[in-house]
Amino acid sequence: MYPNYRYKGARLKPKIAMAIILELFAGKTASRREIDEGIIQYHQSHGGLPSIAKTNPIKAALRYLKDRGFAENVS
């Protein structure tokens, strides 16, 4: 566990997912599945809690990043 993880004990939300996406995948091309699995694994292994939202927080984060030019859909 990582005691200095900023989102320790927090449920996965779009804001948290955006921060992790920018940290783990900046400048990389990755499939949606790789992004989903990577974010969930990273967040939970660092002490974060899974999402309980009805909508996927990772999808919302990617849409926000795409709208602002930080991500693109290459499929």
Side-chain angles (χ1 to χ4, degrees), residues 3 8 16 21-23 27 41 45-46 49 52 54 56 58 62 66 70 72 75:
K8 182 178 178 180
I16 297 170
I21 290 168
L22 292 173
E23 182 178 337
Q41 189 277 330
S45 70
H46 284 73
L49 301 173
I52 57 170
K54 292 180 182 178
N56 185 332
I58 299 168
L62 286 169
K66 181 180 176 189
F70 291 105
E72 60 183 79
S75 63

Side-chain angles (χ1 to χ4, degrees), residues 9-30:
R11 297 254 177 224
L12 183 61
K13 296 181 179 178
K15 179 182 174 183
I16 297 170
M18 282 190 305
I20 298 170
I21 290 168
L22 292 173
E23 182 178 337
L24 297 181
F25 297 100
K28 299 177 184 175
T29 300

Side-chain angles (χ1 to χ4, degrees), residues 10 17 32 34 36 55 57-58 61-62 72 74:
R32 172 66 193 278
E34 290 173 313
D36 285 350
T55 59
I58 299 168
L62 286 169
E72 60 183 79
V74 295

